[in-house]
Amino acid sequence: MGRFRYDKDRRAPILNVVNWFLLVVAVLSVLTRLGTKLWMFRRFTSDDYLIVLSLLFAIGGSISMSVAVHNGYGDHVDTLDGPHFENIQKAQYAGYLVYVLSLYFSKLSLSVFIRNLTPVSRDHVHATVLHILLTVWAVVALFGSAFQCQASRPWDTSGTCLNLNAWQYYVCASNIATDVLIIIQALVLISRIQASFKKKAVFATIFLSRILVILPSIAQIVLIHDVANSLDRSFDDYGVAIAVETVQCASIVTACWGQLKPFLNQLKSNGLRIQGVEYQNTSAKASAPRSQTRDDQSRHMDRSYPDRHHELVPIGSGQGNMTTISASRAWDANSQSSQAGMIRETRTWNVSATQRSERSDSL
């Protein structure tokens, strides 16, 4: 900090600190998610690989920001020479491209995770439509940012360019719109679960955390408007850079949020499981055949009725697994005795209740 002691107009320290701090948060979030999935399921799913791609592009964005700061980004423009200013523009240009890619893969990862929670074909169609919209958004944002200025020097914002402020408004607004669509995708899934309102609300908080991405995106729009007419963008633009890094980090963290162990257990308790993986079962081995039979019946019913609602019905007091034992009549089926078939007894126990229900019918 000694070299910044007498230089109060430099924004380099705060840019460096925020940049690397947010990157560490994103890395820890992804590592925690991957560790949790590996511990609980012994394997990764497709959304895990997508979030790893998002993190890799985020690392590239942080490196680009560091290069820009090293060349004087955060200083007043009149203190920079030509080569350093051009290096700043190149670093910002590359950083914005990987920023778009990082957002795209984090959004896609979360949407794929939501899709994998439901076997209903209609939900999968909705998810596919959303994935197409996300891809279109990413392609437009990527190519628009790549060719924002003349083709020979696309990083040179002092040359012939499109309206850069309007373009940033569009990218931010469309980024917010896609996050809203992801939230809607999750809420539609939640609304079709047969559970109490309290359980639905708890479940919804897992995905409503995506609002933490929308808020800094709104702040980014405000900050872009504040510096729209600035002639000292290398100094005044630091707030926009911090907002960009915050949006990128929040997008990765919220995509990992729902896959931490407490939330995965919450999903399981609400009747939702990730397709393609199996939860660790701590129940007795003797119950395995019965559980396997129920799973086979459930899969058969899903194939027969692909558009049915989720069968998540809360178990009320006094309800539970019912066990019925009936006396077999095979032993006297061929008997000619007058006592054959005269005695039949059926008993029913409620496993989860403390009170036993018993019925006897004598003929």
Side-chain angles (χ1 to χ4, degrees), residues 38-113:
L38 191 61
W39 175 37
M40 296 185 67
F41 308 129
R42 306 303 183 193
R43 57 166 296 183
F44 298 132
T45 51
S46 57
D47 51 300
D48 297 316
Y49 300 112
L50 291 172
I51 201 64
V52 170
L53 285 176
S54 176
L55 178 62
L56 292 177
F57 285 116
I59 293 174
S62 296
I63 294 174
S64 298
M65 173 64 70
S66 182
V67 171
V69 172
H70 178 74
N71 283 274
Y73 184 60
D75 297 346
H76 291 286
V77 68
D78 55 5
T79 63
L80 302 174
D81 55 19
H84 283 88
F85 185 72
E86 184 173 0
N87 289 336
I88 291 174
Q89 290 182 316
K90 290 180 179 179
Q92 289 180 315
Y93 175 77
Y96 203 79
L97 295 181
V98 295
Y99 163 74
V100 172
L101 290 172
S102 178
L103 289 184
Y104 168 67
F105 284 111
S106 63
K107 293 172 188 288
L108 195 61
S109 174
L110 181 57
S111 182
V112 169
F113 171 65

Side-chain angles (χ1 to χ4, degrees), residues 24-44:
V24 169
V25 172
V27 170
L28 291 178
S29 298
V30 173
L31 291 179
T32 303
R33 165 183 174 161
L34 296 179
T36 300
K37 293 290 284 292
L38 191 61
W39 175 37
M40 296 185 67
F41 308 129
R42 306 303 183 193
R43 57 166 296 183
F44 298 132

Side-chain angles (χ1 to χ4, degrees), residues 6-227:
Y6 302 105
D7 200 349
K8 299 180 181 180
D9 291 333
R10 297 194 66 196
R11 304 299 186 187
I14 188 172
L15 286 171
N16 270 327
V17 170
V18 172
N19 178 36
W20 293 111
F21 171 76
L22 293 177
L23 179 62
V24 169
V25 172
V27 170
L28 291 178
S29 298
V30 173
L31 291 179
T32 303
R33 165 183 174 161
L34 296 179
T36 300
K37 293 290 284 292
L38 191 61
W39 175 37
M40 296 185 67
F41 308 129
R42 306 303 183 193
R43 57 166 296 183
F44 298 132
T45 51
S46 57
D47 51 300
D48 297 316
Y49 300 112
L50 291 172
I51 201 64
V52 170
L53 285 176
S54 176
L55 178 62
L56 292 177
F57 285 116
I59 293 174
S62 296
I63 294 174
S64 298
M65 173 64 70
S66 182
V67 171
V69 172
H70 178 74
N71 283 274
Y73 184 60
D75 297 346
H76 291 286
V77 68
D78 55 5
T79 63
L80 302 174
D81 55 19
H84 283 88
F85 185 72
E86 184 173 0
N87 289 336
I88 291 174
Q89 290 182 316
K90 290 180 179 179
Q92 289 180 315
Y93 175 77
Y96 203 79
L97 295 181
V98 295
Y99 163 74
V100 172
L101 290 172
S102 178
L103 289 184
Y104 168 67
F105 284 111
S106 63
K107 293 172 188 288
L108 195 61
S109 174
L110 181 57
S111 182
V112 169
F113 171 65
I114 297 172
R115 183 199 64 185
N116 290 341
L117 292 176
T118 171
V120 181
S121 59
R122 183 170 58 184
D123 292 333
H124 288 188
V125 172
H126 295 164
T128 301
V129 173
L130 179 56
H131 297 169
I132 294 174
L133 292 176
L134 290 174
T135 303
V136 171
W137 169 81
V139 170
V140 173
L142 191 63
F143 277 88
S145 300
F147 301 103
Q148 61 185 358
C149 298
Q150 54 188 347
S152 60
R153 296 173 59 87
W155 63 83
D156 188 5
T157 57
S158 60
T160 303
C161 303
L162 51 81
N163 191 331
L164 297 180
N165 291 326
W167 175 250
Q168 292 187 60
Y169 289 148
Y170 161 75
V171 174
C172 292
S174 57
N175 179 36
I176 293 173
T178 53
D179 282 325
V180 171
L181 290 177
I182 293 175
I183 294 175
I184 292 175
Q185 178 192 11
L187 294 181
V188 169
L189 172 64
I190 296 170
S191 66
R192 298 177 58 207
I193 296 176
Q194 298 179 12
S196 64
F197 177 79
K198 182 178 180 180
K199 287 187 176 181
K200 290 183 179 181
V202 173
F203 187 33
T205 56
I206 301 175
F207 302 102
L208 287 176
S209 62
R210 197 69 185 177
I211 296 176
L212 297 177
V213 184
I214 297 177
L215 295 179
S217 297
I218 296 174
Q220 183 181 352
I221 295 176
V222 175
L223 292 170
I224 292 172
H225 179 268
D226 291 341
V227 299

Side-chain angles (χ1 to χ4, degrees), residues 288-301:
R290 183 178 299 171
S291 300
Q292 184 176 1
T293 302
R294 288 198 299 265
D295 291 341
D296 293 339
Q297 292 176 351
S298 177
R299 285 193 293 269
H300 175 72
M301 295 178 67

